[in-house]
Amino acid sequence: TLPGREMWLIDIFECPVWLRWASFVPALFASLLLFMDQVITTRLVNSPDNPMRKGHGYHLDLLVVSVLCAICSLVGWPWVTAATLPSLSHVRALSEEDTETGELVSIRENRVSNFLIHFGMGASLLLLRPWLMQVPLSVFMGLFLYLGLSAARNNKFVQRIRLLFCDPTRYAQFKGQGIKRFWARVPPKISNKYTLMQLACFGVLWTVKSASPWLGMAFPIIIALLVPARVFIGRFFEDSHLEVLDDCGDAIAVGRDLYNQEVNGGSTVSEAKHYP
C-alpha cells in the first residue's frame, strides 16, 4: 500500500548492517509481548469457570501464531495474536448462564462463529471502508470500553477487588461459583492480602505503560518479571489457598466432568472409563 512499492516482500537487506543487529532488542521485546498476550488469552478462555468439553491446544495455537507473524513480517502486514477482550466476549456470548446462581452451565463450542466473525471483519474492511472512516473515533473507543467492562465483570481479580470493600458476613450474597470460591475456601484476610499484592503489580504495569513512550518499551520486560514476582509472593501463602486464588484448575477436566455427569448419570471424571 505504500507509494512506489512494487513488490510484496520487504527487502530486509536494504537496511544497514548495524540496524539489523540493533533490531534484535526491540524484536525480543515484541516476541515476548506476543507470547505473553497469546498465552494469557488462551489461559483465560480455558478457565475452569468455562465448562469446556473439547481439549485445548496451547502449543498448536502458539505455533500457528508464530508462523503467521513470520509471514506478516516478510510482507509488512500487522502481526496476529489472540485478542483478550473479544475472545472472552465471544466465550460469554456462546455460554448459557444460570440466572439464579450466576454460574455458566454450558458453552456451545464451535468453529463456525469464529469464522463468520472474522470473515465479516475482513469483508467490512474491503467493502465498507469508506463508510467506516466516517465513524468518529470516540464511537470505537466507546465500543472498546464496553467490551472491557463487560469482560471485567467476570474477571476474578475484579471480583476480589469488590470483596475488599464488602463485609465478610455478606459474601454469600454474591452470585456465581467463581467468587464463592474465595470466601468459601480462603479466609477473607488471605484473599484481601493477595489482592492487594496484585493491585501493586497492576499499578507498576499501568505506570510503565502510561509514563512515556520510551519507558513503555520496557512493558514486555515488566510482564515477564511478573513470573518471578509470583514465585516470590507464593512464599507467603499456603498452596491450598494459591490453588484457589490463582484459579489453576483444569478447565477441560471440569467440562468433561459435567459431560460424564449428564451421560453416565452422575459419574465423575475419575469414574468414567473414557472421554468423548
Side-chain angles (χ1 to χ4, degrees):
T1 57
L2 294 177
R5 182 176 175 181
E6 300 179 354
M7 58 183 301
W8 282 94
L9 295 178
I10 296 178
D11 188 4
I12 60 177
F13 297 101
E14 291 183 355
C15 300
V17 177
W18 68 268
L19 183 59
R20 302 175 199 173
W21 289 100
S23 62
F24 171 79
V25 176
L28 180 62
F29 291 170
S31 301
L32 182 60
L33 185 60
L34 290 174
F35 172 80
M36 297 298 295
D37 195 9
Q38 173 70 24
V39 173
I40 291 174
T41 301
T42 53
R43 183 62 185 86
L44 291 175
V45 169
N46 290 284
S47 171
D49 291 329
N50 300 329
M52 300 287 189
R53 296 178 179 177
K54 299 180 181 179
H56 49 66
Y58 295 110
H59 301 291
L60 179 60
D61 292 343
L62 190 60
L63 176 62
V64 173
V65 169
S66 302
V67 174
L68 290 177
C69 288
I71 297 175
C72 293
S73 299
L74 293 177
V75 297
W77 292 348
W79 290 325
V80 178
T81 186
T84 305
L85 293 181
S87 298
L88 295 178
S89 300
H90 186 220
V91 172
R92 299 295 300 185
L94 297 176
S95 61
E96 294 183 6
E97 183 176 323
D98 191 334
T99 56
E100 295 182 359
T101 62
E103 301 176 9
L104 297 183
V105 179
S106 63
I107 297 178
R108 296 184 179 90
E109 301 177 58
N110 66 94
R111 296 182 177 89
V112 178
S113 58
N114 283 291
F115 174 78
L116 292 178
I117 288 173
H118 291 87
F119 178 80
M121 293 171 58
S124 62
L125 291 177
L126 294 175
L127 303 177
L128 304 178
R129 186 174 182 180
W131 291 274
L132 291 176
M133 294 179 63
Q134 302 299 322
V135 179
L137 181 61
S138 57
V139 175
F140 291 106
M141 299 302 294
L143 177 61
F144 296 148
L145 178 61
Y146 170 76
L147 291 176
L149 293 178
S150 61
R153 181 174 62 90
N154 302 289
N155 185 272
K156 300 300 177 294
F157 177 48
V158 176
Q159 290 177 344
R160 281 191 279 106
I161 293 178
R162 294 171 57 191
L163 298 182
L164 292 174
F165 306 95
C166 179
D167 188 352
T169 60
R170 302 178 65 87
Y171 282 0
Q173 296 184 0
F174 287 95
K175 292 184 178 181
Q177 181 181 1
I179 198 169
K180 288 181 179 179
R181 288 199 184 108
F182 308 133
W183 62 264
R185 300 173 56 185
V186 180
K189 183 178 180 180
I190 300 298
S191 177
N192 294 338
K193 179 182 177 181
Y194 189 81
T195 305
L196 290 174
M197 290 183 176
Q198 283 188 307
L199 279 174
C201 295
F202 177 76
V204 174
L205 288 174
W206 184 272
T207 302
V208 172
K209 180 68 175 179
S210 306
S212 65
W214 290 102
L215 186 60
M217 295 178 60
F219 184 77
I221 299 179
I222 304 301
I223 290 289
L225 290 177
L226 291 178
V227 177
R230 165 61 183 80
V231 175
F232 176 76
I233 292 175
R235 299 180 178 180
F236 303 96
F237 299 90
E238 298 181 5
D239 293 339
S240 59
H241 295 160
L242 292 175
E243 183 179 357
V244 179
L245 295 172
D246 280 343
D247 208 5
C248 294
D250 189 351
I252 304 304
V254 174
R256 285 171 172 168
D257 195 2
L258 295 175
Y259 177 84
N260 287 310
Q261 289 180 6
E262 295 175 1
V263 175
N264 301 324
S267 62
T268 60
V269 172
S270 58
E271 298 171 349
K273 296 182 179 180
H274 66 277
Y275 295 138

